[in-house]
Amino acid sequence: MLKKLSVLLSSAILAFSFSACTSSANTAESSEGKIKISATFNALKEFAQAVGKDKVEIETIIPDGMEAHDFEPKPQDIKSLGNAKIFVYNGLGMESWAEDAITAANNKDLIAVCASDGADLIETEASENESNEEHHGKYDPHLWLSLKGAKTEALNIKDALVKADPENKDYYEKNFNEFKVQLEELYNEYKEKFQTVQNKNFVTGHAAFGYLCRDFGLSQNSVSDIFAEGEPSPKQLANLVSYCKENNVKTIFAEEMASTEVSKTLANEVGAKVETIYTIENNEDNKTYLERMSENLSKIYESLK
Ligand SMILES: [Zn+2]
């Protein structure tokens, strides 16, 4: 109870200092010289922050606590595009509204970056759900959950920053290279670790880890589909239960935004524990991209060991 109260209190203080912050940030003085970036969701904001550091000011369009896959912006949500210099979106059907938002912004100086451009993509299974292709596109959008994919996305953002602010080219190049090295170090650490485990299968909330699995030779099974839509039918749940039992799955990963209750039910059913995993579609626990990826990989590795 005491702990809860102090959490409440500190979030009240945070909220207060945050609003104090935004009101001063709105004056021309404090935001002077900073490149305004509008990013659709949290992972992209993290990449833009890693490359732009203190030379950028980033707004996220999809509010925290919103399911990113289902999001449909209202006019006030895309207001920031009107005076932004750079708009970063993931593409691959994550933001089917992006093109319309760019048109609506009517901002001739806006540099739009589709962060997934140039990546080696994973096609979604046609049999999975035919209507998905129309609605979401034919590729798995979760590129940012791969450390290699993150490198591509950060590179595209870096190129846009150089274009928007050529004077600071060296600064952005340096920041990008530092971030790239950190991504590669984490990748190399887990490439080795995952080679040592026999069991390669893990179970998660929604099928967000296709690219991560490809990077490390793992395989995901999930409670909810790739677009975080729908909950499993009793038959699918029964299949998941037998899958977990056959593969001796001891951990069910759950996300804040997708099918947490079903994950708990499944865990109870097979005697597994529930662990949090980050999809980085939202700001979670105020942790950076690298902190969350490092936790994800560590937890997946521990569950397979
Ligand atoms: Zn997702």
Side-chain angles (χ1 to χ4, degrees):
M1 181 64 199
L2 250 180
K3 199 174 170 198
K4 235 181 189 168
L5 196 66
S6 74
V7 167
L8 272 174
L9 262 175
S10 58
S11 45
I13 292 163
L14 259 178
F16 175 75
S17 50
F18 181 72
S19 62
C21 246
T22 43
S23 59
S24 69
N26 281 339
T27 65
E29 204 185 313
S30 65
S31 59
E32 199 182 349
K34 296 213 179 194
I35 305 287
K36 285 200 171 177
I37 301 179
S38 179
T40 52
F41 62 93
N42 184 257
L44 302 172
K45 181 188 181 177
E46 289 287 329
F47 299 152
Q49 193 67 61
V51 178
K53 292 204 172 148
D54 59 359
K55 297 207 184 298
V56 297
E57 191 175 284
I58 312 163
E59 273 194 41
T60 312
I61 293 179
I62 301 175
D64 286 335
M66 261 307 183
E67 215 295 304
H69 290 276
D70 294 338
F71 182 75
E72 292 287 346
K74 294 185 186 67
Q76 68 262 31
D77 296 320
I78 53 170
K79 228 170 49 187
S80 64
L81 287 186
N83 64 354
K85 189 83 184 157
I86 297 175
F87 171 48
V88 187
Y89 63 105
N90 183 73
L92 312 176
M94 244 342 244
E95 314 92 339
S96 50
W97 44 270
E99 297 290 326
D100 288 343
I102 295 167
T103 309
N106 193 25
N107 174 354
K108 62 175 174 38
D109 298 323
L110 189 69
I111 298 170
V113 192
C114 178
S116 61
D117 272 357
D120 180 11
L121 303 174
I122 297 177
E123 276 190 46
T124 52
E125 282 166 47
S127 59
E128 198 173 335
N129 184 345
E130 280 190 9
S131 69
N132 274 343
E133 193 168 317
E134 273 169 46
H135 186 46
H136 298 282
K138 71 192 278 234
Y139 297 103
D140 181 344
H142 298 94
L143 186 67
W144 65 93
L145 288 168
S146 150
L147 296 165
K148 291 179 168 184
K151 202 156 72 177
T152 302
E153 301 212 299
L155 174 69
N156 286 327
I157 294 168
K158 187 268 291 171
D159 288 344
L161 271 164
V162 170
K163 198 170 160 192
D165 183 20
E167 265 180 39
N168 289 307
K169 180 176 189 281
D170 291 350
Y171 179 80
Y172 301 126
E173 296 281 359
K174 180 178 154 279
N175 293 344
F176 168 71
N177 284 325
E178 277 171 15
F179 187 54
K180 192 179 101 169
V181 167
Q182 289 174 310
L183 292 169
E184 286 168 352
E185 279 172 1
L186 191 58
Y187 173 80
N188 290 335
E189 180 189 343
Y190 279 94
K191 186 79 190 170
E192 230 169 74
K193 281 186 169 165
F194 284 124
Q195 273 165 0
T196 67
V197 295
Q198 289 295 312
N199 179 14
K200 308 279 186 189
N201 308 301
F202 68 98
V203 176
T204 186
H206 88 286
F209 299 94
Y211 291 95
L212 183 147
C213 286
R214 185 178 67 180
D215 285 353
F216 297 111
L218 305 175
S219 163
Q220 69 177 340
N221 209 320
S222 67
V223 168
S224 166
D225 74 6
I226 206 159
F227 305 108
E229 274 169 2
E231 302 216 321
S233 65
K235 184 164 179 272
Q236 285 168 317
L237 195 58
N239 285 342
L240 267 173
V241 168
S242 31
Y243 175 88
C244 291
K245 287 181 175 161
E246 274 162 32
N247 290 284
N248 198 23
V249 171
K250 291 277 166 252
T251 308
I252 307 292
F253 292 101
E255 307 149 29
E256 246 171 62
M257 304 304 296
S259 307
T260 318
E261 288 309 314
V262 187
S263 299
K264 281 180 194 157
T265 310
L266 175 63
N268 276 339
E269 195 66 37
V270 301
K273 63 175 174 168
V274 179
E275 275 272 25
T276 318
I277 198 160
Y278 297 120
T279 58
I280 322 188
E281 291 169 10
N282 279 261
N283 175 14
E284 295 140 316
D285 302 336
N286 279 320
K287 287 179 180 158
T288 66
Y289 173 83
L290 280 165
E291 283 167 347
R292 281 176 280 172
M293 280 305 281
S294 171
E295 269 188 46
N296 280 352
L297 290 167
S298 156
K299 284 177 177 176
I300 295 169
Y301 173 66
E302 288 302 321
S303 83
L304 301 178
K305 233 176 26 170

